[in-house]
PDB file of all heavy atoms in Angstrom:
ATOM      1  N   LEU A1499      91.766 188.402 115.326  1.00  0.00           N
ATOM      2  CA  LEU A1499      90.522 188.675 114.597  1.00  0.00           C
ATOM      3  C   LEU A1499      90.715 188.518 113.091  1.00  0.00           C
ATOM      4  O   LEU A1499      89.805 188.078 112.391  1.00  0.00           O
ATOM      5  CB  LEU A1499      90.001 190.078 114.900  1.00  0.00           C
ATOM      6  CG  LEU A1499      89.033 190.255 116.066  1.00  0.00           C
ATOM      7  CD1 LEU A1499      88.335 191.605 115.972  1.00  0.00           C
ATOM      8  CD2 LEU A1499      88.002 189.139 116.162  1.00  0.00           C
ATOM      9  N   PHE A1500      91.896 188.867 112.593  1.00  0.00           N
ATOM     10  CA  PHE A1500      92.183 188.627 111.175  1.00  0.00           C
ATOM     11  C   PHE A1500      92.193 187.123 110.899  1.00  0.00           C
ATOM     12  O   PHE A1500      91.667 186.664 109.888  1.00  0.00           O
ATOM     13  CB  PHE A1500      93.531 189.256 110.799  1.00  0.00           C
ATOM     14  CG  PHE A1500      93.446 190.718 110.494  1.00  0.00           C
ATOM     15  CD1 PHE A1500      93.409 191.662 111.515  1.00  0.00           C
ATOM     16  CD2 PHE A1500      93.398 191.165 109.188  1.00  0.00           C
ATOM     17  CE1 PHE A1500      93.328 193.019 111.229  1.00  0.00           C
ATOM     18  CE2 PHE A1500      93.317 192.521 108.891  1.00  0.00           C
ATOM     19  CZ  PHE A1500      93.281 193.445 109.915  1.00  0.00           C
ATOM     20  N   ARG A1501      92.805 186.371 111.798  1.00  0.00           N
ATOM     21  CA  ARG A1501      92.807 184.918 111.641  1.00  0.00           C
ATOM     22  C   ARG A1501      91.387 184.376 111.650  1.00  0.00           C
ATOM     23  O   ARG A1501      91.011 183.542 110.810  1.00  0.00           O
ATOM     24  CB  ARG A1501      93.610 184.279 112.786  1.00  0.00           C
ATOM     25  CG  ARG A1501      93.795 182.763 112.647  1.00  0.00           C
ATOM     26  CD  ARG A1501      94.419 182.164 113.888  1.00  0.00           C
ATOM     27  NE  ARG A1501      93.475 182.110 114.988  1.00  0.00           N
ATOM     28  CZ  ARG A1501      93.711 182.596 116.207  1.00  0.00           C
ATOM     29  NH1 ARG A1501      94.845 183.208 116.481  1.00  0.00           N
ATOM     30  NH2 ARG A1501      92.790 182.502 117.154  1.00  0.00           N
ATOM     31  N   ALA A1502      90.566 184.871 112.575  1.00  0.00           N
ATOM     32  CA  ALA A1502      89.177 184.421 112.664  1.00  0.00           C
ATOM     33  C   ALA A1502      88.404 184.744 111.387  1.00  0.00           C
ATOM     34  O   ALA A1502      87.547 183.968 110.962  1.00  0.00           O
ATOM     35  CB  ALA A1502      88.491 185.061 113.865  1.00  0.00           C
ATOM     36  N   ALA A1503      88.702 185.887 110.773  1.00  0.00           N
ATOM     37  CA  ALA A1503      88.005 186.276 109.543  1.00  0.00           C
ATOM     38  C   ALA A1503      88.227 185.241 108.450  1.00  0.00           C
ATOM     39  O   ALA A1503      87.275 184.788 107.790  1.00  0.00           O
ATOM     40  CB  ALA A1503      88.488 187.649 109.078  1.00  0.00           C
ATOM     41  N   LEU A1504      89.473 184.841 108.254  1.00  0.00           N
ATOM     42  CA  LEU A1504      89.768 183.861 107.207  1.00  0.00           C
ATOM     43  C   LEU A1504      89.275 182.471 107.592  1.00  0.00           C
ATOM     44  O   LEU A1504      88.823 181.708 106.737  1.00  0.00           O
ATOM     45  CB  LEU A1504      91.276 183.844 106.891  1.00  0.00           C
ATOM     46  CG  LEU A1504      91.679 184.869 105.813  1.00  0.00           C
ATOM     47  CD1 LEU A1504      91.624 186.296 106.361  1.00  0.00           C
ATOM     48  CD2 LEU A1504      93.072 184.586 105.275  1.00  0.00           C
ATOM     49  N   GLU A1505      89.339 182.152 108.872  1.00  0.00           N
ATOM     50  CA  GLU A1505      88.839 180.852 109.312  1.00  0.00           C
ATOM     51  C   GLU A1505      87.338 180.737 109.107  1.00  0.00           C
ATOM     52  O   GLU A1505      86.833 179.717 108.621  1.00  0.00           O
ATOM     53  CB  GLU A1505      89.191 180.637 110.792  1.00  0.00           C
ATOM     54  CG  GLU A1505      90.674 180.392 111.046  1.00  0.00           C
ATOM     55  CD  GLU A1505      91.009 180.205 112.505  1.00  0.00           C
ATOM     56  OE1 GLU A1505      90.134 180.483 113.363  1.00  0.00           O
ATOM     57  OE2 GLU A1505      92.142 179.796 112.804  1.00  0.00           O
ATOM     58  N   MET A1506      86.587 181.783 109.455  1.00  0.00           N
ATOM     59  CA  MET A1506      85.134 181.727 109.273  1.00  0.00           C
ATOM     60  C   MET A1506      84.767 181.708 107.797  1.00  0.00           C
ATOM     61  O   MET A1506      83.830 181.012 107.394  1.00  0.00           O
ATOM     62  CB  MET A1506      84.464 182.899 110.000  1.00  0.00           C
ATOM     63  CG  MET A1506      84.532 182.789 111.508  1.00  0.00           C
ATOM     64  SD  MET A1506      83.420 183.937 112.379  1.00  0.00           S
ATOM     65  CE  MET A1506      84.129 185.526 111.923  1.00  0.00           C
ATOM     66  N   GLY A1507      85.497 182.471 106.979  1.00  0.00           N
ATOM     67  CA  GLY A1507      85.254 182.412 105.542  1.00  0.00           C
ATOM     68  C   GLY A1507      85.488 181.032 104.967  1.00  0.00           C
ATOM     69  O   GLY A1507      84.792 180.601 104.033  1.00  0.00           O
ATOM     70  N   THR A1508      86.448 180.337 105.540  1.00  0.00           N
ATOM     71  CA  THR A1508      86.739 178.963 105.119  1.00  0.00           C
ATOM     72  C   THR A1508      85.631 178.009 105.566  1.00  0.00           C
ATOM     73  O   THR A1508      85.182 177.144 104.796  1.00  0.00           O
ATOM     74  CB  THR A1508      88.092 178.509 105.689  1.00  0.00           C
ATOM     75  OG1 THR A1508      89.108 179.434 105.283  1.00  0.00           O
ATOM     76  CG2 THR A1508      88.464 177.120 105.200  1.00  0.00           C
ATOM     77  N   ILE A1509      85.160 178.184 106.793  1.00  0.00           N
ATOM     78  CA  ILE A1509      84.104 177.323 107.333  1.00  0.00           C
ATOM     79  C   ILE A1509      82.819 177.435 106.532  1.00  0.00           C
ATOM     80  O   ILE A1509      82.181 176.419 106.202  1.00  0.00           O
ATOM     81  CB  ILE A1509      83.838 177.658 108.819  1.00  0.00           C
ATOM     82  CG1 ILE A1509      84.997 177.174 109.692  1.00  0.00           C
ATOM     83  CG2 ILE A1509      82.517 177.052 109.295  1.00  0.00           C
ATOM     84  CD1 ILE A1509      85.186 175.677 109.731  1.00  0.00           C
ATOM     85  N   VAL A1510      82.405 178.660 106.192  1.00  0.00           N
ATOM     86  CA  VAL A1510      81.144 178.805 105.465  1.00  0.00           C
ATOM     87  C   VAL A1510      81.244 178.264 104.043  1.00  0.00           C
ATOM     88  O   VAL A1510      80.223 178.097 103.369  1.00  0.00           O
ATOM     89  CB  VAL A1510      80.639 180.269 105.440  1.00  0.00           C
ATOM     90  CG1 VAL A1510      80.468 180.801 106.846  1.00  0.00           C
ATOM     91  CG2 VAL A1510      81.566 181.172 104.636  1.00  0.00           C
ATOM     92  N   SER A1511      82.461 177.960 103.608  1.00  0.00           N
ATOM     93  CA  SER A1511      82.665 177.343 102.296  1.00  0.00           C
ATOM     94  C   SER A1511      82.540 175.828 102.353  1.00  0.00           C
ATOM     95  O   SER A1511      82.666 175.159 101.323  1.00  0.00           O
ATOM     96  CB  SER A1511      84.053 177.714 101.759  1.00  0.00           C
ATOM     97  OG  SER A1511      84.238 179.112 101.751  1.00  0.00           O
ATOM     98  N   GLY A1512      82.314 175.298 103.552  1.00  0.00           N
ATOM     99  CA  GLY A1512      82.153 173.853 103.691  1.00  0.00           C
ATOM    100  C   GLY A1512      83.451 173.106 103.926  1.00  0.00           C
ATOM    101  O   GLY A1512      83.493 171.875 103.820  1.00  0.00           O
ATOM    102  N   ILE A1513      84.526 173.810 104.257  1.00  0.00           N
ATOM    103  CA  ILE A1513      85.830 173.179 104.491  1.00  0.00           C
ATOM    104  C   ILE A1513      85.970 172.844 105.973  1.00  0.00           C
ATOM    105  O   ILE A1513      85.659 173.659 106.843  1.00  0.00           O
ATOM    106  CB  ILE A1513      86.966 174.101 104.013  1.00  0.00           C
ATOM    107  CG1 ILE A1513      86.870 174.277 102.496  1.00  0.00           C
ATOM    108  CG2 ILE A1513      88.335 173.560 104.410  1.00  0.00           C
ATOM    109  CD1 ILE A1513      87.819 175.301 101.926  1.00  0.00           C
ATOM    110  N   ASP A1514      86.465 171.666 106.269  1.00  0.00           N
ATOM    111  CA  ASP A1514      86.558 171.165 107.634  1.00  0.00           C
ATOM    112  C   ASP A1514      87.645 171.887 108.423  1.00  0.00           C
ATOM    113  O   ASP A1514      88.697 172.238 107.882  1.00  0.00           O
ATOM    114  CB  ASP A1514      86.871 169.661 107.606  1.00  0.00           C
ATOM    115  CG  ASP A1514      86.760 169.040 108.980  1.00  0.00           C
ATOM    116  OD1 ASP A1514      85.646 168.647 109.363  1.00  0.00           O
ATOM    117  OD2 ASP A1514      87.789 168.954 109.671  1.00  0.00           O
ATOM    118  N   ARG A1515      87.406 172.069 109.728  1.00  0.00           N
ATOM    119  CA  ARG A1515      88.379 172.754 110.590  1.00  0.00           C
ATOM    120  C   ARG A1515      89.675 171.976 110.756  1.00  0.00           C
ATOM    121  O   ARG A1515      90.708 172.554 111.135  1.00  0.00           O
ATOM    122  CB  ARG A1515      87.786 173.008 111.977  1.00  0.00           C
ATOM    123  CG  ARG A1515      86.731 174.079 112.017  1.00  0.00           C
ATOM    124  CD  ARG A1515      86.212 174.314 113.422  1.00  0.00           C
ATOM    125  NE  ARG A1515      87.183 175.005 114.260  1.00  0.00           N
ATOM    126  CZ  ARG A1515      86.955 175.359 115.516  1.00  0.00           C
ATOM    127  NH1 ARG A1515      85.784 175.056 116.086  1.00  0.00           N
ATOM    128  NH2 ARG A1515      87.876 175.991 116.219  1.00  0.00           N
ATOM    129  N   ASN A1516      89.651 170.689 110.486  1.00  0.00           N
ATOM    130  CA  ASN A1516      90.857 169.863 110.635  1.00  0.00           C
ATOM    131  C   ASN A1516      91.654 169.720 109.340  1.00  0.00           C
ATOM    132  O   ASN A1516      92.665 169.029 109.313  1.00  0.00           O
ATOM    133  CB  ASN A1516      90.476 168.470 111.147  1.00  0.00           C
ATOM    134  CG  ASN A1516      89.860 168.514 112.534  1.00  0.00           C
ATOM    135  OD1 ASN A1516      90.353 169.222 113.407  1.00  0.00           O
ATOM    136  ND2 ASN A1516      88.787 167.782 112.734  1.00  0.00           N
ATOM    137  N   SER A1517      91.216 170.385 108.293  1.00  0.00           N
ATOM    138  CA  SER A1517      91.867 170.234 106.989  1.00  0.00           C
ATOM    139  C   SER A1517      93.112 171.106 106.867  1.00  0.00           C
ATOM    140  O   SER A1517      93.291 172.090 107.589  1.00  0.00           O
ATOM    141  CB  SER A1517      90.885 170.601 105.871  1.00  0.00           C
ATOM    142  OG  SER A1517      90.602 171.991 105.912  1.00  0.00           O
ATOM    143  N   LYS A1518      93.961 170.758 105.910  1.00  0.00           N
ATOM    144  CA  LYS A1518      95.157 171.551 105.628  1.00  0.00           C
ATOM    145  C   LYS A1518      94.774 172.921 105.073  1.00  0.00           C
ATOM    146  O   LYS A1518      95.467 173.916 105.322  1.00  0.00           O
ATOM    147  CB  LYS A1518      96.056 170.809 104.643  1.00  0.00           C
ATOM    148  CG  LYS A1518      96.736 169.580 105.228  1.00  0.00           C
ATOM    149  CD  LYS A1518      97.669 168.927 104.216  1.00  0.00           C
ATOM    150  CE  LYS A1518      98.360 167.710 104.815  1.00  0.00           C
ATOM    151  NZ  LYS A1518      99.264 167.047 103.831  1.00  0.00           N
ATOM    152  N   GLN A1519      93.684 172.968 104.315  1.00  0.00           N
ATOM    153  CA  GLN A1519      93.222 174.238 103.776  1.00  0.00           C
ATOM    154  C   GLN A1519      92.874 175.212 104.897  1.00  0.00           C
ATOM    155  O   GLN A1519      93.228 176.401 104.857  1.00  0.00           O
ATOM    156  CB  GLN A1519      91.980 174.024 102.892  1.00  0.00           C
ATOM    157  CG  GLN A1519      92.219 173.179 101.659  1.00  0.00           C
ATOM    158  CD  GLN A1519      92.854 173.987 100.527  1.00  0.00           C
ATOM    159  OE1 GLN A1519      94.027 174.320 100.587  1.00  0.00           O
ATOM    160  NE2 GLN A1519      92.075 174.294  99.518  1.00  0.00           N
ATOM    161  N   PHE A1520      92.172 174.696 105.903  1.00  0.00           N
ATOM    162  CA  PHE A1520      91.786 175.540 107.038  1.00  0.00           C
ATOM    163  C   PHE A1520      93.029 176.042 107.768  1.00  0.00           C
ATOM    164  O   PHE A1520      93.128 177.227 108.105  1.00  0.00           O
ATOM    165  CB  PHE A1520      90.892 174.753 107.996  1.00  0.00           C
ATOM    166  CG  PHE A1520      90.420 175.549 109.184  1.00  0.00           C
ATOM    167  CD1 PHE A1520      89.244 176.281 109.113  1.00  0.00           C
ATOM    168  CD2 PHE A1520      91.160 175.574 110.360  1.00  0.00           C
ATOM    169  CE1 PHE A1520      88.807 177.017 110.210  1.00  0.00           C
ATOM    170  CE2 PHE A1520      90.736 176.321 111.456  1.00  0.00           C
ATOM    171  CZ  PHE A1520      89.547 177.040 111.380  1.00  0.00           C
ATOM    172  N   GLN A1521      93.979 175.156 108.025  1.00  0.00           N
ATOM    173  CA  GLN A1521      95.196 175.547 108.728  1.00  0.00           C
ATOM    174  C   GLN A1521      95.988 176.580 107.945  1.00  0.00           C
ATOM    175  O   GLN A1521      96.562 177.514 108.515  1.00  0.00           O
ATOM    176  CB  GLN A1521      96.056 174.309 109.002  1.00  0.00           C
ATOM    177  CG  GLN A1521      95.416 173.280 109.927  1.00  0.00           C
ATOM    178  CD  GLN A1521      95.012 173.874 111.273  1.00  0.00           C
ATOM    179  OE1 GLN A1521      95.725 174.685 111.836  1.00  0.00           O
ATOM    180  NE2 GLN A1521      93.859 173.463 111.778  1.00  0.00           N
ATOM    181  N   ALA A1522      96.020 176.425 106.631  1.00  0.00           N
ATOM    182  CA  ALA A1522      96.736 177.385 105.785  1.00  0.00           C
ATOM    183  C   ALA A1522      96.086 178.767 105.882  1.00  0.00           C
ATOM    184  O   ALA A1522      96.785 179.777 106.068  1.00  0.00           O
ATOM    185  CB  ALA A1522      96.748 176.908 104.335  1.00  0.00           C
ATOM    186  N   MET A1523      94.769 178.828 105.785  1.00  0.00           N
ATOM    187  CA  MET A1523      94.088 180.110 105.848  1.00  0.00           C
ATOM    188  C   MET A1523      94.211 180.742 107.231  1.00  0.00           C
ATOM    189  O   MET A1523      94.286 181.969 107.364  1.00  0.00           O
ATOM    190  CB  MET A1523      92.620 179.951 105.457  1.00  0.00           C
ATOM    191  CG  MET A1523      92.407 179.511 104.011  1.00  0.00           C
ATOM    192  SD  MET A1523      93.229 180.569 102.793  1.00  0.00           S
ATOM    193  CE  MET A1523      92.249 182.066 102.925  1.00  0.00           C
ATOM    194  N   SER A1524      94.253 179.913 108.263  1.00  0.00           N
ATOM    195  CA  SER A1524      94.474 180.415 109.616  1.00  0.00           C
ATOM    196  C   SER A1524      95.820 181.123 109.715  1.00  0.00           C
ATOM    197  O   SER A1524      95.941 182.221 110.269  1.00  0.00           O
ATOM    198  CB  SER A1524      94.410 179.248 110.612  1.00  0.00           C
ATOM    199  OG  SER A1524      94.621 179.694 111.930  1.00  0.00           O
ATOM    200  N   SER A1525      96.851 180.499 109.152  1.00  0.00           N
ATOM    201  CA  SER A1525      98.187 181.085 109.146  1.00  0.00           C
ATOM    202  C   SER A1525      98.221 182.386 108.353  1.00  0.00           C
ATOM    203  O   SER A1525      98.830 183.382 108.769  1.00  0.00           O
ATOM    204  CB  SER A1525      99.191 180.093 108.559  1.00  0.00           C
ATOM    205  OG  SER A1525     100.455 180.690 108.360  1.00  0.00           O
TER     206      SER A1525
END
């Protein structure tokens, strides 16, 4: 759920799920 929190925050910023930024925030 913590991972999902940062992933969703990244998504609503317009960042693609396949990007390095998204993967970094997931980690």
Side-chain angles (χ1 to χ4, degrees):
L1499 269 196
F1500 277 80
R1501 186 188 73 232
L1504 272 72
E1505 289 179 348
M1506 291 194 295
T1508 304
I1509 288 295
V1510 303
S1511 306
I1513 295 172
D1514 189 86
R1515 288 182 73 178
N1516 296 316
S1517 68
K1518 289 183 179 179
Q1519 297 280 73
F1520 181 89
Q1521 296 304 320
M1523 296 306 290
S1524 180
S1525 172

